[in-house]
Amino acid sequence: MIEELLPAGVATAETFDDPPEATLFDAEAGEIAKAVAKRRREFTSGRWCAHRAMRALGVPPVPLLRGERGAPQWPSEVVGSITHCAGYRGAAVARSGEVRSVGIDAEQHEPLPDGVLGVVSRPEEREHIAELAAREPGTCWDRILFSCKESVYKTWYPITGEWLGFEDAELEFSAGAFTARLHKSASGLTGFTGRWLVRDGLVLSAITLEN
């Protein structure tokens, strides 16, 4: 599904469970050796997807170790993003000469827990999604907002190396698309455009920032 949100130059791989054939490089396995079983499964399947996506791009897979704030450390010729939630693991990669950054996110299509929306949104966004919810009450617009903000951060951070708070991005939605206006400036970034979809109980969102 995630490939529907990304241009042809971005290679993707996804799975809806934790395949028994999913494996890690030794260095990757060492990073999560002491993690609980659920975390090991998520990490393994996510990295397995990333390795498959790199092969599809024509790039030999390498260990993707965790850098600062836990972000995957991609080889210099690649930009990428990994996501996981209950029932989904996915990855997207592109050549760094063609794409500056890519960010993807997956969430369960269900309302956010009580109190979370006020933490992850700006007042104008809450008004916006309330209007959307009145028109499409079967759509969890609060969860879509959260997912798209996660994709914003995943696109922003590899470029800037700086934290971006939920309040630092203001989102507006249209059918299957969104725009993000940034209230924080770094590396010449002022905003992003992205896409989203809801299907089979999942919310997926993605941003591709081309060079």
Side-chain angles (χ1 to χ4, degrees):
M1 293 194 297
I2 194 66
E3 75 278 359
E4 298 179 32
L5 303 180
L6 295 159
V10 180
T12 64
E14 62 188 2
T15 180
F16 300 91
D17 56 15
D18 295 309
E21 66 270 24
T23 58
L24 296 171
F25 287 95
D26 289 345
E28 293 171 326
E31 287 200 325
I32 57 162
K34 297 181 180 180
V36 299
K38 178 178 181 292
R39 173 58 180 152
R40 290 199 304 271
R41 290 194 300 269
E42 292 172 344
F43 186 94
T44 299
S45 297
R47 288 311 196 267
W48 181 71
C49 286
H51 301 157
R52 290 168 58 210
M54 291 175 71
R55 290 190 188 95
L57 194 66
V59 176
V62 297
L64 300 173
L65 304 182
R66 292 178 295 188
E68 189 176 358
R69 299 190 185 275
Q73 294 181 295
W74 301 93
S76 60
E77 69 269 30
V78 168
V79 295
S81 184
I82 301 172
T83 188
H84 59 76
C85 71
Y88 187 87
R89 289 82 165 91
V93 299
R95 293 188 179 275
S96 56
E98 301 173 1
V99 172
R100 192 177 181 191
S101 187
V102 59
I104 65 170
D105 185 71
E107 303 287 335
Q108 287 282 296
H109 184 229
E110 58 189 26
L112 291 172
D114 290 345
V116 174
L117 179 60
V119 175
V120 303
S121 64
R122 299 170 61 91
E124 55 267 48
E125 291 174 320
R126 293 193 287 276
E127 181 177 347
H128 178 45
I129 65 172
E131 294 171 353
L132 293 169
R135 295 201 297 265
E136 297 184 38
T139 300
C140 298
W141 288 100
D142 56 347
R143 184 69 69 165
I144 295 170
L145 175 75
F146 179 82
S147 178
C148 293
K149 287 207 170 186
E150 288 291 297
S151 287
V152 167
Y153 178 76
K154 290 181 177 182
T155 308
W156 157 279
Y157 183 76
I159 299 172
T160 66
E162 296 184 12
W163 176 256
L164 187 75
F166 286 110
E167 73 283 358
D168 293 324
E170 180 181 343
L171 271 59
E172 185 172 346
F173 295 95
S174 58
F178 67 94
T179 59
R181 183 164 64 94
L182 299 179
H183 292 266
K184 180 176 181 178
S185 179
S187 301
L189 298 175
T190 58
F192 301 109
T193 60
R195 300 177 66 194
W196 61 270
L197 65 79
V198 173
R199 187 183 300 160
D200 298 335
L202 296 169
V203 176
L204 298 180
S205 62
I207 297 171
T208 304
L209 183 63
E210 298 181 350
N211 286 326

